[in-house]
Amino acid sequence: MNVSEQQKKIAVLGAPIEIGASQHGTLMGPDALRTAGLLTLLEGLGFAVEDHGNLTVDGVAALDDTPPDNSKHYREIQRWIRTISARAYDLARSGAIPIFVGGDHSLSMGSINGVARHCREQGKELFVMWLDAHADYNTPATTITGNMHGMSAAFLCGEEGLDGLLGNEPRAPIDSSRLELFGTRSIDKLEKDLVRLRRISVADMRKIDEFGVSVLIRRVIDKVKAVDGVLHLSFDIDFLDPEVAPGVGTMVPGGATYREAHLIMELLNDSGIVHSLDIVELNPFLDERGRTARSVVELIGSLFGQQITDRPTPTNAM
């Protein structure tokens, strides 16, 4: 990530939330990525890294709104999302690049909301790239499972159904035209209808096979740069093929290869548009001797500028 010296600060925040998904184990994700060397790698790339530890919602008061139907563990997730959103806003304001380490993908309802709130105050257009096998664009009205990690993207785009989730914490939805679903290969019928209705950009695996990741990623980069925007990368590890990343709870065959994923990260680094990041759905309980965690750390290295050979920095990069 080609950033100025003033921006060479990274704030890492763990959000060990697992109740938004159907399998236990993602609460161990933040510490597994630390153990795999995430912080050491970033420091070796010249960043000043501040580890803010893992969030807890112990002592956070529950609200008294009526939980919507088909939203499992709504009250507990509400405590998490309110807490994460407030911390995300503060970290974005600090000038550091915030990295939110999970935990399941429901954490993005808080992390991206906080970042979006800051971007709105700065007059910056925030785009979100959803690297994920799933669209996560369900609502309580469309969901089959009721698992809230599958509602994250819809919530971020202001869809109805979880309107009381943030309580008094300001909600800052992004326009659906600013959401980029990338690597999608599993989507429910009603969810697909809603994505089509909103005309959300979807680069599914068929499109990736046909055009290649470089063409499709550059289209996203050009779209963001055209309005001098910034990008939040929400990286669900099940975006990767299970052969590369077995340590996830919702494996879907046919995902991105190790090399395709590195190219995505390298191109985003060259562009300089990524200003915040989620890493979600790592389940060390399902991993094979830390293989998934190590692969993810290597990919984050590429996102932040690690190179095999020195390449000239693009003149238009930050």
Side-chain angles (χ1 to χ4, degrees), residues 192-285:
K192 183 188 295 185
D193 293 343
L194 188 54
V195 166
R196 185 182 297 115
L197 179 65
R198 300 291 185 254
R199 298 184 177 179
I200 292 169
S201 174
V202 182
D204 60 14
M205 291 308 299
R206 158 66 191 268
K207 191 173 287 187
I208 288 173
D209 289 342
E210 188 171 356
F211 295 99
V213 295
S214 61
V215 170
L216 299 174
I217 285 291
R218 286 189 171 102
R219 287 179 184 174
V220 175
I221 291 169
D222 290 346
K223 186 186 297 188
V224 176
K225 286 190 171 185
V227 295
D228 193 26
V230 296
L231 184 71
H232 178 102
L233 180 62
S234 201
F235 175 28
D236 187 322
I237 296 166
D238 70 21
F239 163 73
L240 301 168
D241 190 84
E243 290 294 320
V244 178
V248 296
T250 50
M251 288 192 293
V252 184
T257 67
Y258 184 76
R259 192 50 247 163
E260 285 174 328
H262 269 289
L263 180 56
I264 289 168
M265 299 302 184
E266 290 162 357
L267 291 171
L268 289 174
N269 167 68
D270 290 346
S271 74
I273 61 173
V274 178
H275 284 224
S276 49
L277 169 68
D278 300 322
I279 310 170
V280 301
E281 300 287 355
L282 173 63
N283 191 328
F285 184 74

Coordinates of all heavy atoms in Angstrom, one line a residue, residues 192-285:
K192 N -30.3 -13.1 -4.2 CA -29.9 -12.8 -5.6 C -30.9 -11.8 -6.2 O -30.5 -10.9 -6.9 CB -29.9 -14.1 -6.4 CG -29.5 -13.9 -7.8 CD -29.6 -15.2 -8.7 CE -28.8 -16.3 -8.2 NZ -28.9 -17.5 -9.1
D193 N -32.2 -12.0 -5.9 CA -33.2 -11.0 -6.4 C -32.9 -9.6 -5.9 O -33.1 -8.7 -6.7 CB -34.6 -11.5 -6.0 CG -35.0 -12.8 -6.7 OD1 -34.4 -13.2 -7.7 OD2 -36.0 -13.4 -6.2
L194 N -32.6 -9.5 -4.7 CA -32.3 -8.2 -4.1 C -31.1 -7.6 -4.6 O -31.0 -6.4 -4.9 CB -32.2 -8.3 -2.5 CG -32.2 -7.1 -1.7 CD1 -33.4 -6.1 -2.0 CD2 -32.2 -7.4 -0.2
V195 N -30.0 -8.4 -4.8 CA -28.8 -7.9 -5.4 C -29.1 -7.4 -6.8 O -28.6 -6.3 -7.2 CB -27.7 -9.0 -5.4 CG1 -26.6 -8.6 -6.3 CG2 -27.2 -9.2 -4.0
R196 N -29.9 -8.1 -7.6 CA -30.2 -7.7 -8.9 C -31.0 -6.4 -8.9 O -30.8 -5.5 -9.7 CB -31.0 -8.8 -9.7 CG -31.2 -8.5 -11.1 CD -32.0 -9.6 -11.8 NE -31.3 -10.9 -11.8 CZ -31.7 -12.0 -11.1 NH1 -32.8 -12.0 -10.4 NH2 -31.0 -13.1 -11.2
L197 N -32.0 -6.3 -8.0 CA -32.8 -5.2 -7.9 C -32.0 -3.9 -7.6 O -32.3 -2.8 -8.2 CB -33.9 -5.4 -6.8 CG -34.9 -4.2 -6.5 CD1 -35.7 -4.0 -7.8 CD2 -35.7 -4.5 -5.3
R198 N -31.0 -4.0 -6.8 CA -30.2 -2.9 -6.4 C -29.1 -2.6 -7.4 O -28.3 -1.7 -7.3 CB -29.5 -3.1 -5.0 CG -30.6 -3.3 -3.9 CD -31.3 -2.0 -3.6 NE -32.2 -2.2 -2.5 CZ -33.5 -2.3 -2.5 NH1 -34.1 -2.2 -3.7 NH2 -34.2 -2.4 -1.4
R199 N -29.0 -3.5 -8.4 CA -27.9 -3.3 -9.5 C -26.5 -3.3 -8.9 O -25.7 -2.5 -9.3 CB -28.2 -2.1 -10.3 CG -29.5 -2.2 -11.1 CD -29.8 -1.0 -12.0 NE -31.0 -1.1 -12.7 CZ -31.5 -0.2 -13.6 NH1 -30.8 0.9 -13.8 NH2 -32.6 -0.4 -14.2
I200 N -26.3 -4.1 -7.9 CA -25.0 -4.2 -7.3 C -24.0 -4.9 -8.2 O -24.3 -5.9 -8.9 CB -25.1 -4.9 -5.9 CG1 -25.9 -4.1 -5.0 CG2 -23.7 -5.2 -5.3 CD1 -26.3 -4.8 -3.7
S201 N -22.8 -4.3 -8.3 CA -21.7 -4.9 -9.1 C -21.2 -6.2 -8.5 O -20.9 -6.3 -7.3 CB -20.5 -3.9 -9.1 OG -19.4 -4.5 -9.8
V202 N -21.3 -7.3 -9.3 CA -20.9 -8.6 -8.9 C -19.9 -9.2 -9.9 O -20.1 -9.4 -11.0 CB -22.1 -9.6 -8.8 CG1 -21.6 -10.9 -8.3 CG2 -23.2 -9.0 -8.0
A203 N -18.7 -9.4 -9.4 CA -17.6 -10.2 -10.1 C -17.6 -11.6 -9.6 O -16.9 -11.9 -8.6 CB -16.3 -9.5 -10.0
D204 N -18.5 -12.4 -10.1 CA -18.5 -13.8 -9.6 C -17.4 -14.6 -10.2 O -16.6 -14.1 -11.0 CB -19.9 -14.4 -9.9 CG -20.2 -14.5 -11.3 OD1 -19.3 -14.3 -12.2 OD2 -21.4 -14.8 -11.6
M205 N -17.3 -15.9 -9.8 CA -16.1 -16.7 -10.2 C -16.2 -16.9 -11.7 O -15.2 -17.1 -12.4 CB -16.1 -18.0 -9.4 CG -15.6 -17.8 -8.0 SD -14.1 -16.8 -7.7 CE -12.9 -17.8 -8.6
R206 N -17.4 -17.0 -12.3 CA -17.5 -17.1 -13.8 C -16.8 -15.9 -14.5 O -16.1 -16.1 -15.4 CB -19.0 -17.3 -14.2 CG -19.3 -16.9 -15.6 CD -18.6 -17.9 -16.6 NE -18.8 -17.4 -18.0 CZ -19.8 -17.7 -18.8 NH1 -20.8 -18.4 -18.4 NH2 -19.8 -17.2 -20.1
K207 N -17.2 -14.8 -14.0 CA -16.6 -13.5 -14.6 C -15.1 -13.5 -14.4 O -14.3 -13.1 -15.3 CB -17.2 -12.3 -14.0 CG -16.9 -11.0 -14.7 CD -17.7 -9.9 -14.2 CE -19.2 -9.9 -14.6 NZ -20.0 -8.7 -14.2
I208 N -14.6 -13.9 -13.2 CA -13.2 -14.0 -12.9 C -12.5 -14.9 -13.8 O -11.4 -14.7 -14.4 CB -12.9 -14.3 -11.4 CG1 -13.3 -13.1 -10.5 CG2 -11.4 -14.7 -11.2 CD1 -13.3 -13.4 -9.1
D209 N -13.1 -16.1 -14.1 CA -12.5 -17.1 -15.0 C -12.5 -16.5 -16.4 O -11.5 -16.8 -17.1 CB -13.4 -18.4 -15.0 CG -13.2 -19.2 -13.7 OD1 -12.3 -19.0 -13.0 OD2 -14.1 -20.0 -13.5
E210 N -13.5 -15.8 -16.8 CA -13.6 -15.3 -18.2 C -12.6 -14.1 -18.4 O -12.0 -14.0 -19.5 CB -15.0 -14.9 -18.4 CG -15.3 -14.5 -19.9 CD -16.8 -14.3 -20.2 OE1 -17.6 -14.6 -19.3 OE2 -17.1 -14.0 -21.3
F211 N -12.6 -13.2 -17.5 CA -11.8 -11.9 -17.7 C -10.5 -11.8 -16.9 O -9.6 -11.1 -17.3 CB -12.7 -10.7 -17.4 CG -13.9 -10.5 -18.2 CD1 -15.1 -10.9 -17.8 CD2 -13.8 -10.0 -19.5 CE1 -16.2 -10.8 -18.6 CE2 -14.9 -9.8 -20.3 CZ -16.1 -10.2 -19.8
G212 N -10.4 -12.6 -15.9 CA -9.2 -12.5 -15.1 C -9.3 -11.5 -14.0 O -10.0 -10.5 -14.2
V213 N -8.6 -11.7 -12.9 CA -8.7 -10.8 -11.8 C -8.1 -9.4 -12.1 O -8.6 -8.4 -11.6 CB -8.1 -11.3 -10.5 CG1 -8.8 -12.5 -10.0 CG2 -6.6 -11.6 -10.7
S214 N -7.1 -9.3 -12.9 CA -6.4 -8.0 -13.1 C -7.4 -7.0 -13.8 O -7.5 -5.9 -13.5 CB -5.2 -8.2 -13.9 OG -5.4 -8.7 -15.2
V215 N -8.1 -7.5 -14.8 CA -9.0 -6.6 -15.6 C -10.1 -6.2 -14.6 O -10.5 -5.0 -14.5 CB -9.7 -7.4 -16.7 CG1 -10.8 -6.6 -17.3 CG2 -8.6 -7.6 -17.8
L216 N -10.7 -7.1 -13.8 CA -11.8 -6.7 -12.9 C -11.4 -5.8 -11.8 O -12.1 -4.9 -11.4 CB -12.5 -8.0 -12.4 CG -13.0 -8.9 -13.6 CD1 -13.5 -10.2 -13.0 CD2 -14.2 -8.2 -14.3
I217 N -10.3 -6.1 -11.2 CA -9.8 -5.2 -10.1 C -9.5 -3.9 -10.6 O -9.8 -2.8 -10.0 CB -8.5 -5.9 -9.5 CG1 -8.9 -7.1 -8.6 CG2 -7.8 -4.8 -8.6 CD1 -9.7 -6.7 -7.3
R218 N -8.9 -3.7 -11.8 CA -8.6 -2.4 -12.3 C -9.9 -1.6 -12.6 O -9.9 -0.4 -12.5 CB -7.7 -2.5 -13.6 CG -6.3 -2.9 -13.3 CD -5.4 -2.8 -14.5 NE -4.0 -3.0 -14.2 CZ -3.3 -4.1 -14.4 NH1 -3.9 -5.2 -14.9 NH2 -2.0 -4.2 -14.0
R219 N -10.9 -2.3 -13.0 CA -12.2 -1.6 -13.1 C -12.7 -1.0 -11.8 O -13.2 0.2 -11.8 CB -13.3 -2.6 -13.7 CG -13.1 -3.0 -15.1 CD -14.2 -4.0 -15.5 NE -14.0 -4.5 -16.9 CZ -14.8 -5.4 -17.4 NH1 -15.8 -6.0 -16.7 NH2 -14.6 -5.8 -18.6
V220 N -12.5 -1.7 -10.7 CA -12.9 -1.2 -9.4 C -12.0 0.0 -9.1 O -12.5 1.0 -8.6 CB -12.8 -2.3 -8.3 CG1 -13.0 -1.7 -7.0 CG2 -13.8 -3.4 -8.6
I221 N -10.7 -0.2 -9.3 CA -9.7 0.9 -8.9 C -10.1 2.1 -9.7 O -10.1 3.3 -9.2 CB -8.3 0.4 -9.2 CG1 -7.9 -0.7 -8.2 CG2 -7.3 1.6 -9.2 CD1 -6.6 -1.4 -8.6
D222 N -10.4 2.0 -11.0 CA -10.7 3.2 -11.8 C -12.0 3.8 -11.3 O -12.1 5.1 -11.3 CB -10.9 2.7 -13.3 CG -9.6 2.4 -13.9 OD1 -8.5 2.7 -13.4 OD2 -9.6 1.7 -15.0
K223 N -13.0 3.0 -10.9 CA -14.2 3.6 -10.4 C -14.0 4.4 -9.2 O -14.5 5.5 -9.0 CB -15.2 2.5 -10.1 CG -16.6 2.9 -9.7 CD -17.5 1.8 -9.3 CE -17.8 0.8 -10.4 NZ -18.8 -0.2 -10.0
V224 N -13.2 3.9 -8.3 CA -12.9 4.6 -7.0 C -12.1 5.9 -7.3 O -12.4 7.0 -6.8 CB -12.1 3.7 -6.0 CG1 -11.7 4.5 -4.8 CG2 -12.9 2.5 -5.7
K225 N -11.1 5.8 -8.1 CA -10.2 7.0 -8.4 C -11.0 8.0 -9.2 O -10.7 9.2 -9.1 CB -9.0 6.5 -9.2 CG -8.0 5.8 -8.3 CD -6.7 5.6 -9.1 CE -5.6 5.1 -8.2 NZ -4.3 5.0 -8.8
A226 N -12.0 7.7 -9.9 CA -12.7 8.6 -10.7 C -13.4 9.7 -9.9 O -13.7 10.8 -10.3 CB -13.8 7.9 -11.6
V227 N -13.7 9.3 -8.6 CA -14.4 10.3 -7.7 C -13.5 10.6 -6.5 O -13.9 11.1 -5.5 CB -15.7 9.8 -7.2 CG1 -16.7 9.7 -8.4 CG2 -15.6 8.5 -6.5
D228 N -12.2 10.3 -6.7 CA -11.2 10.5 -5.6 C -11.7 9.9 -4.3 O -11.6 10.5 -3.2 CB -11.0 12.0 -5.4 CG -9.8 12.3 -4.5 OD1 -8.9 11.5 -4.5 OD2 -9.8 13.4 -3.8
G229 N -12.2 8.6 -4.4 CA -12.7 7.9 -3.3 C -11.6 7.1 -2.6 O -10.5 7.1 -3.0
V230 N -12.1 6.4 -1.6 CA -11.2 5.4 -0.8 C -11.9 4.1 -0.8 O -13.2 4.0 -0.9 CB -10.9 5.9 0.6 CG1 -10.0 7.2 0.5 CG2 -12.1 6.2 1.4
L231 N -11.2 3.1 -0.5 CA -11.7 1.7 -0.5 C -11.5 1.0 0.8 O -10.4 1.1 1.4 CB -11.1 0.9 -1.6 CG -11.6 -0.6 -1.8 CD1 -13.0 -0.5 -2.4 CD2 -10.6 -1.4 -2.7
H232 N -12.6 0.4 1.3 CA -12.5 -0.5 2.5 C -12.5 -1.9 1.9 O -13.5 -2.3 1.2 CB -13.6 -0.3 3.4 CG -13.6 -1.2 4.6 ND1 -13.2 -0.9 5.9 CD2 -14.0 -2.5 4.7 CE1 -13.2 -1.9 6.7 NE2 -13.7 -2.9 6.0
L233 N -11.5 -2.7 2.2 CA -11.5 -4.1 1.8 C -12.0 -5.0 2.9 O -11.4 -5.1 3.9 CB -10.0 -4.5 1.4 CG -9.8 -5.9 0.9 CD1 -10.6 -6.1 -0.4 CD2 -8.3 -6.2 0.7
S234 N -13.1 -5.7 2.6 CA -13.6 -6.6 3.6 C -13.3 -8.0 3.1 O -13.9 -8.5 2.2 CB -15.1 -6.4 3.7 OG -15.6 -6.9 5.0
F235 N -12.3 -8.6 3.7 CA -11.7 -9.9 3.2 C -12.2 -11.1 4.0 O -11.7 -11.3 5.1 CB -10.2 -9.8 3.2 CG -9.4 -11.0 2.9 CD1 -9.9 -11.9 2.0 CD2 -8.1 -11.2 3.4 CE1 -9.2 -13.1 1.7 CE2 -7.4 -12.3 3.1 CZ -7.9 -13.3 2.2
D236 N -13.1 -11.8 3.5 CA -13.6 -13.0 4.1 C -12.7 -14.1 3.5 O -12.6 -14.3 2.3 CB -15.1 -13.3 3.7 CG -15.7 -14.5 4.4 OD1 -14.9 -15.5 4.6 OD2 -16.8 -14.4 4.8
I237 N -12.1 -14.9 4.4 CA -11.1 -15.9 3.9 C -11.7 -17.0 3.1 O -11.0 -17.6 2.3 CB -10.4 -16.4 5.2 CG1 -9.6 -15.3 5.9 CG2 -9.4 -17.5 4.8 CD1 -9.1 -15.6 7.2
D238 N -13.0 -17.2 3.2 CA -13.6 -18.2 2.3 C -13.7 -17.8 0.8 O -14.1 -18.5 0.0 CB -15.0 -18.7 2.8 CG -16.1 -17.7 2.7 OD1 -16.0 -16.7 1.9 OD2 -17.1 -17.8 3.4
F239 N -13.3 -16.5 0.6 CA -13.0 -16.1 -0.8 C -12.0 -17.0 -1.5 O -12.1 -17.3 -2.7 CB -12.5 -14.7 -0.8 CG -11.9 -14.2 -2.1 CD1 -12.6 -14.0 -3.2 CD2 -10.5 -14.1 -2.2 CE1 -12.1 -13.6 -4.4 CE2 -9.9 -13.6 -3.4 CZ -10.7 -13.4 -4.5
L240 N -11.1 -17.5 -0.7 CA -10.1 -18.4 -1.3 C -10.6 -19.8 -1.5 O -11.5 -20.2 -0.8 CB -8.9 -18.5 -0.3 CG -8.2 -17.1 0.0 CD1 -7.2 -17.3 1.2 CD2 -7.4 -16.6 -1.2
D241 N -10.0 -20.5 -2.4 CA -10.4 -21.9 -2.6 C -10.1 -22.7 -1.3 O -9.0 -22.5 -0.7 CB -9.7 -22.5 -3.8 CG -10.2 -23.9 -4.2 OD1 -11.2 -23.9 -4.9 OD2 -9.7 -24.9 -3.7
P242 N -10.9 -23.7 -0.9 CA -10.6 -24.5 0.3 C -9.3 -25.2 0.2 O -8.7 -25.5 1.3 CB -11.8 -25.5 0.3 CG -12.9 -24.8 -0.4 CD -12.2 -24.0 -1.5
E243 N -8.8 -25.5 -1.0 CA -7.4 -26.1 -1.1 C -6.4 -25.2 -0.5 O -5.3 -25.6 0.0 CB -7.1 -26.5 -2.5 CG -7.9 -27.6 -3.0 CD -7.6 -28.9 -2.3 OE1 -6.4 -29.2 -2.1 OE2 -8.6 -29.7 -2.1
V244 N -6.6 -23.9 -0.6 CA -5.7 -22.9 -0.1 C -5.9 -22.5 1.3 O -5.0 -22.3 2.1 CB -5.8 -21.6 -1.0 CG1 -4.8 -20.5 -0.5 CG2 -5.5 -21.9 -2.4
A245 N -7.2 -22.5 1.7 CA -7.6 -22.0 3.0 C -8.7 -22.9 3.6 O -9.9 -22.6 3.5 CB -8.1 -20.5 2.9
P246 N -8.3 -24.0 4.2 CA -9.3 -24.9 4.8 C -9.9 -24.4 6.1 O -10.9 -25.0 6.5 CB -8.5 -26.2 5.0 CG -7.1 -25.7 5.2 CD -6.9 -24.5 4.3
G247 N -9.3 -23.4 6.7 CA -9.7 -23.0 8.1 C -10.8 -22.0 8.1 O -10.7 -21.0 8.7
V248 N -11.9 -22.4 7.4 CA -13.1 -21.5 7.5 C -14.3 -22.4 7.7 O -14.3 -23.6 7.4 CB -13.3 -20.7 6.1 CG1 -12.2 -19.7 6.0 CG2 -13.4 -21.7 4.9
G249 N -15.4 -21.8 8.2 CA -16.6 -22.6 8.5 C -17.6 -22.8 7.4 O -18.5 -23.7 7.5
T250 N -17.4 -22.0 6.3 CA -18.4 -22.1 5.2 C -17.7 -22.3 3.9 O -17.7 -21.4 3.0 CB -19.3 -20.8 5.2 OG1 -18.4 -19.7 5.2 CG2 -20.2 -20.8 6.3
M251 N -17.0 -23.4 3.8 CA -16.2 -23.7 2.6 C -17.1 -23.8 1.3 O -18.1 -24.5 1.4 CB -15.3 -24.9 2.7 CG -14.2 -24.7 3.7 SD -13.0 -26.1 3.6 CE -14.0 -27.4 4.3
V252 N -16.7 -23.2 0.2 CA -17.4 -23.3 -1.0 C -16.3 -23.6 -2.1 O -15.4 -22.8 -2.3 CB -18.1 -22.0 -1.4 CG1 -18.9 -22.2 -2.7 CG2 -19.0 -21.6 -0.3
P253 N -16.4 -24.8 -2.8 CA -15.4 -25.1 -3.8 C -15.3 -24.1 -4.9 O -16.3 -23.4 -5.2 CB -15.9 -26.5 -4.3 CG -16.7 -27.0 -3.2 CD -17.4 -25.8 -2.6
G254 N -14.2 -24.0 -5.6 CA -14.1 -23.2 -6.8 C -13.7 -21.7 -6.5 O -14.0 -20.9 -7.3
G255 N -13.0 -21.5 -5.4 CA -12.6 -20.1 -5.0 C -11.3 -19.7 -5.7 O -10.7 -20.4 -6.5
A256 N -10.9 -18.5 -5.3 CA -9.7 -17.9 -5.8 C -8.4 -18.8 -5.5 O -8.3 -19.3 -4.4 CB -9.5 -16.5 -5.3
T257 N -7.5 -18.8 -6.4 CA -6.2 -19.5 -6.2 C -5.3 -18.6 -5.3 O -5.6 -17.4 -5.2 CB -5.5 -19.8 -7.5 OG1 -5.1 -18.6 -8.1 CG2 -6.4 -20.6 -8.4
Y258 N -4.3 -19.2 -4.8 CA -3.3 -18.4 -4.0 C -2.7 -17.3 -4.9 O -2.6 -16.2 -4.4 CB -2.2 -19.4 -3.6 CG -1.2 -18.8 -2.7 CD1 -1.4 -18.5 -1.3 CD2 0.1 -18.5 -3.2 CE1 -0.4 -18.0 -0.5 CE2 1.1 -18.0 -2.4 CZ 0.8 -17.8 -1.0 OH 1.8 -17.3 -0.2
R259 N -2.4 -17.6 -6.1 CA -1.8 -16.6 -7.0 C -2.7 -15.5 -7.4 O -2.4 -14.3 -7.5 CB -1.2 -17.3 -8.2 CG -0.3 -16.5 -9.1 CD 0.8 -15.9 -8.3 NE 0.7 -14.4 -8.4 CZ 1.3 -13.6 -7.6 NH1 2.1 -14.0 -6.6 NH2 1.1 -12.3 -7.7
E260 N -4.0 -15.9 -7.7 CA -5.0 -14.9 -8.0 C -5.2 -13.9 -6.8 O -5.3 -12.7 -7.0 CB -6.3 -15.5 -8.3 CG -6.4 -16.2 -9.7 CD -7.7 -16.9 -9.9 OE1 -8.2 -17.5 -8.9 OE2 -8.1 -17.0 -11.1
A261 N -5.2 -14.4 -5.6 CA -5.4 -13.6 -4.4 C -4.2 -12.6 -4.2 O -4.4 -11.5 -3.9 CB -5.6 -14.5 -3.2
H262 N -3.0 -13.1 -4.5 CA -1.9 -12.3 -4.3 C -1.9 -11.2 -5.4 O -1.6 -10.0 -5.1 CB -0.6 -13.1 -4.5 CG -0.1 -13.6 -3.2 ND1 0.5 -12.7 -2.2 CD2 0.0 -14.8 -2.6 CE1 0.9 -13.5 -1.2 NE2 0.5 -14.7 -1.4
L263 N -2.3 -11.5 -6.6 CA -2.4 -10.4 -7.6 C -3.4 -9.4 -7.3 O -3.1 -8.2 -7.5 CB -2.7 -11.1 -9.0 CG -2.8 -10.1 -10.2 CD1 -1.5 -9.3 -10.3 CD2 -3.2 -10.8 -11.4
I264 N -4.5 -9.7 -6.7 CA -5.5 -8.8 -6.3 C -4.9 -7.8 -5.2 O -5.0 -6.6 -5.3 CB -6.7 -9.5 -5.6 CG1 -7.5 -10.2 -6.7 CG2 -7.6 -8.5 -4.9 CD1 -8.6 -11.1 -6.2
M265 N -4.2 -8.4 -4.3 CA -3.6 -7.6 -3.2 C -2.5 -6.7 -3.8 O -2.4 -5.5 -3.4 CB -3.0 -8.5 -2.1 CG -4.0 -9.4 -1.4 SD -5.4 -8.4 -0.6 CE -6.3 -9.8 0.2
E266 N -1.7 -7.2 -4.7 CA -0.6 -6.4 -5.3 C -1.2 -5.2 -6.1 O -0.6 -4.1 -6.0 CB 0.3 -7.3 -6.1 CG 1.1 -8.3 -5.4 CD 1.6 -9.5 -6.2 OE1 1.3 -9.5 -7.4 OE2 2.3 -10.3 -5.6
L267 N -2.2 -5.5 -6.8 CA -2.8 -4.4 -7.6 C -3.5 -3.3 -6.7 O -3.4 -2.1 -7.0 CB -3.8 -5.0 -8.6 CG -3.3 -5.8 -9.7 CD1 -4.4 -6.5 -10.5 CD2 -2.4 -4.9 -10.7
L268 N -4.1 -3.8 -5.6 CA -4.7 -2.8 -4.7 C -3.6 -2.0 -4.0 O -3.7 -0.8 -3.8 CB -5.5 -3.5 -3.7 CG -6.9 -4.1 -4.2 CD1 -7.6 -4.9 -3.1 CD2 -7.8 -3.0 -4.7
N269 N -2.5 -2.7 -3.7 CA -1.3 -1.9 -3.1 C -0.8 -0.9 -4.1 O -0.6 0.3 -3.7 CB -0.2 -2.9 -2.8 CG 1.1 -2.2 -2.5 OD1 1.2 -1.5 -1.5 ND2 2.1 -2.3 -3.4
D270 N -0.7 -1.2 -5.3 CA -0.2 -0.3 -6.3 C -1.1 0.9 -6.4 O -0.7 2.0 -6.7 CB -0.1 -1.0 -7.7 CG 1.1 -2.0 -7.8 OD1 1.9 -2.0 -6.9 OD2 1.1 -2.8 -8.7
S271 N -2.4 0.7 -6.3 CA -3.4 1.8 -6.5 C -3.4 2.8 -5.4 O -3.7 4.0 -5.6 CB -4.8 1.2 -6.6 OG -5.3 0.7 -5.3
G272 N -3.1 2.4 -4.1 CA -3.1 3.3 -3.0 C -4.4 3.7 -2.5 O -4.6 4.7 -1.8
I273 N -5.5 3.0 -2.9 CA -6.9 3.4 -2.5 C -7.4 2.7 -1.2 O -8.4 3.2 -0.7 CB -7.9 3.2 -3.7 CG1 -8.0 1.7 -4.0 CG2 -7.5 4.0 -4.9 CD1 -9.1 1.3 -5.0
V274 N -6.7 1.7 -0.8 CA -7.2 1.0 0.4 C -6.8 1.7 1.7 O -5.6 1.9 1.9 CB -6.7 -0.5 0.4 CG1 -7.2 -1.2 1.7 CG2 -7.2 -1.3 -0.8
H275 N -7.8 2.1 2.4 CA -7.6 2.9 3.6 C -8.1 2.2 4.9 O -7.9 2.7 6.0 CB -8.2 4.3 3.5 CG -7.4 5.2 2.7 ND1 -7.2 6.5 3.0 CD2 -6.8 5.0 1.5 CE1 -6.5 7.1 2.0 NE2 -6.3 6.2 1.1
S276 N -8.7 1.0 4.8 CA -9.1 0.3 5.9 C -9.4 -1.2 5.5 O -9.6 -1.4 4.3 CB -10.4 0.9 6.6 OG -11.4 1.2 5.6
L277 N -9.5 -2.1 6.4 CA -9.5 -3.5 6.1 C -10.1 -4.3 7.2 O -9.9 -4.1 8.4 CB -8.0 -4.0 5.9 CG -7.7 -5.4 5.8 CD1 -8.2 -6.0 4.5 CD2 -6.2 -5.7 5.9
D278 N -11.0 -5.3 6.8 CA -11.4 -6.4 7.6 C -10.8 -7.7 7.2 O -10.6 -7.9 6.0 CB -12.9 -6.6 7.5 CG -13.8 -5.4 7.8 OD1 -13.5 -4.7 8.8 OD2 -14.8 -5.3 7.1
I279 N -10.4 -8.5 8.2 CA -10.0 -9.9 7.9 C -10.9 -10.8 8.7 O -10.9 -10.7 10.0 CB -8.6 -10.2 8.2 CG1 -7.6 -9.1 7.6 CG2 -8.1 -11.6 7.8 CD1 -6.2 -9.2 8.2
V280 N -11.8 -11.6 8.1 CA -12.8 -12.2 8.9 C -12.9 -13.7 8.5 O -12.5 -14.2 7.4 CB -14.2 -11.6 8.6 CG1 -14.2 -10.1 9.1 CG2 -14.7 -11.7 7.2
E281 N -13.6 -14.5 9.4 CA -14.0 -15.9 9.2 C -12.9 -16.9 9.3 O -13.1 -18.0 8.9 CB -14.8 -16.0 7.9 CG -16.1 -15.2 7.8 CD -17.2 -15.7 8.7 OE1 -17.1 -16.7 9.3 OE2 -18.3 -15.0 8.8
L282 N -11.7 -16.5 9.8 CA -10.7 -17.5 10.1 C -11.1 -18.3 11.3 O -11.4 -17.8 12.4 CB -9.3 -16.8 10.4 CG -8.2 -17.8 10.8 CD1 -7.9 -18.8 9.8 CD2 -7.0 -17.0 11.2
N283 N -11.2 -19.6 11.1 CA -11.6 -20.5 12.2 C -10.4 -21.5 12.4 O -10.3 -22.5 11.8 CB -12.8 -21.3 11.8 CG -13.4 -22.1 13.0 OD1 -12.7 -22.5 13.9 ND2 -14.7 -22.3 13.0
P284 N -9.5 -21.1 13.4 CA -8.3 -22.0 13.6 C -8.7 -23.4 14.0 O -7.9 -24.3 13.8 CB -7.6 -21.2 14.8 CG -8.1 -19.8 14.7 CD -9.5 -19.9 14.2
F285 N -9.8 -23.6 14.6 CA -10.3 -25.0 15.0 C -10.4 -25.9 13.8 O -10.2 -27.1 13.9 CB -11.6 -24.9 15.7 CG -12.1 -26.2 16.3 CD1 -11.5 -26.7 17.4 CD2 -13.2 -26.8 15.7 CE1 -12.0 -27.9 17.9 CE2 -13.6 -28.0 16.2 CZ -13.0 -28.6 17.3

